[in-house]
Amino acid sequence: MLAIGAAAAWFVVATTVAFTPTRDHHWRAAYVLIALGIPILVAVFWQSGPWAGMAVLAGAMSILRWPVIYLFRWLRRLASGR
């Protein structure tokens, strides 16, 4: 349950960061949130199982949607060979 609590705290921090204005459109905060979120996500998968992990992953992807969109665009560009 500690991992779920850490994930909940991560969501509160991510939402708070989203409300604050920044000059770089939150990219610096997104990098920090990703770096902190990956170990939390792994811990949720490990402690609470795949369904809880998938729920946390979906929530994190909804908060950090632009890095995910850019990742998919980059992977599609790699796959097409451009």
Side-chain angles (χ1 to χ4, degrees):
M1 291 312 260
L2 184 63
I4 296 292
W10 184 92
F11 282 113
V12 169
V13 169
T15 304
T16 305
V17 167
F19 286 133
T20 60
T22 61
R23 291 182 188 256
D24 66 345
H25 303 286
H26 299 98
W27 280 104
R28 194 175 359 207
Y31 295 139
V32 172
L33 287 170
I34 290 168
L36 293 174
I38 290 173
I40 292 171
L41 182 64
V42 169
V44 169
F45 267 101
W46 184 266
Q47 291 180 2
S48 300
W51 291 110
M54 294 299 285
V56 170
L57 178 62
M61 287 174 62
S62 72
I63 289 177
L64 295 172
R65 63 186 161 271
W66 282 107
V68 173
I69 289 169
Y70 286 131
L71 173 67
F72 285 136
R73 286 180 184 173
W74 178 71
L75 291 173
R76 189 174 2 162
R77 200 169 42 240
L78 279 178
S80 69
R82 285 195 213 161

